[in-house]
């Protein structure tokens, strides 16, 4: 029987970052995953470290957009009809949270995390030898309609107020920045402060290697075996049972599989998303991720090829893939950038773990003194992994947290504060 101070369940970017921050503070830590680190949702994202993100993804504001989604004509969203009844309460809450004043409140609540996100990645990358994956080349967003561009005015005004670097570019300037792009758009906004990585899996693996180098233990096991033995937590692993004083749930979209049997029911939904890599034609090259805003997809240069990622699909987490959005976005993507053949046979499918208020849960599980939650990072888990690791480790070790964690507490859902176990 191995005894540790903390068990971290889930070795995605969030769990690995939490485990690394705990071990850096002198704790004995076991990191448990059913597979290798970084192969879950953290594998397939767009690689953007969006430290100057302001407004979260929102429910469609116009009836026209909603109708396009309902009629399955929208590239940015898809759904499985049989799932709508189950996800309806979450969608209604998401809609409420998309009111303009709520988006501003979310922006303010999330700013401490986003504002530190890049610096926390840079610090971990420096010590993990992973800085070569980081590009300080910003994020380019393209608009094919005046209306789409006009919709960015409020966010740009807030960015100016907060001193975040953002530049409106005309078509020539955007094409000068990315010469392989065809001028099929009419406006561009260049978020210069954003960064990106060329291989999200390699970054998570580098942080996991650093965790092991500092004495952390990474083991294979099923997180659902977590149970209490007296006042301690125990998990069964390939190396036998491991005990700890505290446990951290960082299972991303799989967190409810462990929490529901413990009686912790928090309203998480998943927004599924796909990616596929393509060979660029000739010498075509991209230096940064590009969003084709009116068509709802991103195109990002990765070590594996040019990665196209899709928007949200509302479907059961484990349902068979239905990558229709990739089919919808490929024609406009090919008109924008000279894409050659697909590299993999099949698209990759991941599931963004999302709460309807676009905030993760970071803090104690309601009613538990020694069970911690770090999940629900939605569209921004790569960005927020390291800053989450720092905040959770500060809370767990009794250090003054770098920001007020109250906005991220589970209590916002589980109103009745039960006695701590
Ligand atoms: C298409 C797409 C594009 C995205 N683009 C971006 C982006 O550009 N920037 C950004 O910041 N974010 C982006 N995201 C979001 C980001 O990828 C996620 O928020 C993030 O990866 C979540 O990380 P996580 O560690 O919480 O979860 P995961 O990476 O899913 O990790 C959870 C881990 O738990 C393990 N696990 C599950 N069940 C068990 C069990 N029973 N026992 C043991 N282990 C278990 C899994 O194996 C997995 O390793 C994107 C997401 C998608 C889908």
């Amino acid at each position: 029987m191995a005894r540790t101070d903390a068990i971290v369940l889930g070795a995605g970017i969030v769990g690995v970052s939490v485990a690394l921050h705990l071990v850096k503070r002198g704790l004995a830590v076991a990191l448990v995953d059913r597979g290798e680190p970084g192969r879950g949702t953290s594998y397939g994202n767009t690689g953007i470290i969006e430290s100057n993100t302001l407004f979260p993804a929102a429910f469609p504001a116009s009836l026209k957009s909603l109708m396009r989604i309902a009629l399955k004509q929208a590239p940015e969203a898809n759904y499985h009809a049989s799932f709508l009844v189950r996800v309806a309460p979450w969608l209604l809450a998401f809609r409420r949270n998309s009111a303009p004043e709520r988006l501003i409140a979310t922006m303010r609540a999330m700013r401490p995390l986003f504002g530190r996100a890049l610096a926390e990645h840079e610090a971990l990358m420096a010590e993990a030898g992973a800085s070569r994956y980081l590009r300080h080349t910003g994020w380019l967003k393209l608009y094919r309609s005046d209306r789409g561009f006009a919709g960015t005015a409020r966010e740009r005004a807030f960015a100016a107020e907060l001193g975040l670097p953002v530049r409106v570019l005309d078509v020539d300037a955007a094409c000068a920045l990315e010469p392989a792009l065809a001028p099929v758009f009419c406006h561009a906004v260049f978020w210069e402060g954003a960064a990106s990585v060329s291989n999200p899996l390699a970054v998570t693996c580098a942080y996991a290697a650093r965790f092991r180098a500092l004495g952390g233990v990474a083991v294979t096991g099923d997180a659902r075996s977590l149970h209490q033995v007296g006042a301690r937590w125990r998990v069964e692993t390939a190396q036998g049972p491991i005990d700890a004083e505290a446990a951290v749930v960082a299972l991303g979209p799989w967190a409810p599989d462990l929490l529901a049997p413990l009686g912790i029911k928090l309203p998480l939904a998943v927004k599924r998303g796909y990616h596929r890599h393509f060979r660029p034609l000739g010498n075509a090259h991209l230096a940064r991720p590009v969003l084709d805003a009116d068509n709802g997809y991103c195109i990002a240069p990765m070590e594996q090829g040019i990665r196209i990622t899709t928007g949200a699909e509302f479907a059961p987490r484990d349902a068979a893939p239905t990558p229709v959005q990739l089919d919808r976005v490929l024609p406009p993507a090919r008109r924008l950038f000279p894409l050659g053949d697909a590299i993999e046979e099949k698209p990759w499918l991941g599931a963004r773990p999302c709460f309807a208020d676009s905030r993760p849960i970071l803090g104690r599980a309601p009613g538990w003194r020694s069970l911690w939650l770090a999940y629900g990072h939605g569209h921004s888990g790569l960005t927020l992994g390291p800053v989450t690791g720092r905040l959770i480790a500060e809370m767990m070790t009794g250090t003054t947290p770098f920001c007020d964690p109250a906005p991220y507490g589970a209590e916002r859902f589980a109103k009745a504060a039960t006695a701590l176990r």
Side-chain angles (χ1 to χ4, degrees), residues 12 14 33-34 41-42 45-46 48 221-223 254 378-383:
V14 174
D33 200 289
R34 61 187 173 195
T41 325
S42 302
N45 53 58
T46 313
I48 304 163
D222 188 339
W254 293 277
H379 292 252
S380 308
L382 171 69
T383 303

Side-chain angles (χ1 to χ4, degrees), residues 96 104 255 269 396:
R96 278 195 303 279
I104 292 171
M396 288 178 69

Side-chain angles (χ1 to χ4, degrees), residues 377-403:
H377 293 74
H379 292 252
S380 308
L382 171 69
T383 303
L384 299 174
V387 76
T388 292
R390 177 183 175 143
L391 185 62
I392 292 280
E394 287 173 347
M395 284 193 273
M396 288 178 69
T397 54
T399 315
T400 306
F402 77 87
C403 71

Side-chain angles (χ1 to χ4, degrees), residues 193-215:
S196 62
V197 298
S198 57
N199 189 334
L201 170 65
V203 171
T204 306
C205 289
Y207 295 174
R210 175 70 179 155
F211 163 75
R212 288 191 299 270
L214 293 178

Side-chain angles (χ1 to χ4, degrees), residues 72 74-75 77-80 274 310 313 321-331 347:
K72 292 192 174 256
N78 189 41
Y79 63 93
H80 288 191
Y274 299 85
T310 64
E313 182 182 59
T322 48
V324 292
Q325 283 162 282
L326 267 177
D327 298 338
R328 288 180 204 150
V329 305
L330 261 177

Side-chain angles (χ1 to χ4, degrees), residues 113-252:
L113 297 183
F114 279 113
R116 275 202 80 94
L118 179 54
E120 294 297 332
H121 261 293
E122 285 169 338
L124 293 192
M125 283 177 180
E127 63 179 273
S131 303
R132 65 183 180 281
Y133 301 113
L134 184 64
R135 297 176 293 226
H136 285 103
T137 48
W139 185 12
L140 186 62
K141 300 188 183 181
L142 307 178
Y143 300 86
R144 299 198 190 208
S145 67
D146 293 339
R147 193 190 153 101
F149 172 67
T152 69
R154 204 166 50 125
E155 192 171 34
R156 286 186 283 116
F158 273 113
E161 202 182 302
L162 292 166
L164 300 176
V166 59
R167 258 195 298 150
V168 172
L169 304 181
D170 62 19
V171 176
D172 288 345
C175 289
L177 208 58
E178 290 289 1
L181 295 180
V184 291
F185 53 94
C186 46
H187 302 279
V189 179
F190 182 32
W191 292 86
E192 292 174 89
S196 62
V197 298
S198 57
N199 189 334
L201 170 65
V203 171
T204 306
C205 289
Y207 295 174
R210 175 70 179 155
F211 163 75
R212 288 191 299 270
L214 293 178
V217 179
V219 282
T220 308
D222 188 339
R224 292 169 300 177
S225 65
L226 187 77
H227 60 283
Q228 281 215 296
V229 177
R232 297 176 69 83
W233 291 101
R234 179 173 298 171
V235 67
E236 309 298 334
T237 76
Q239 293 175 15
I242 297 180
D243 263 24
E245 258 168 50
V248 185
V249 179
L251 293 165

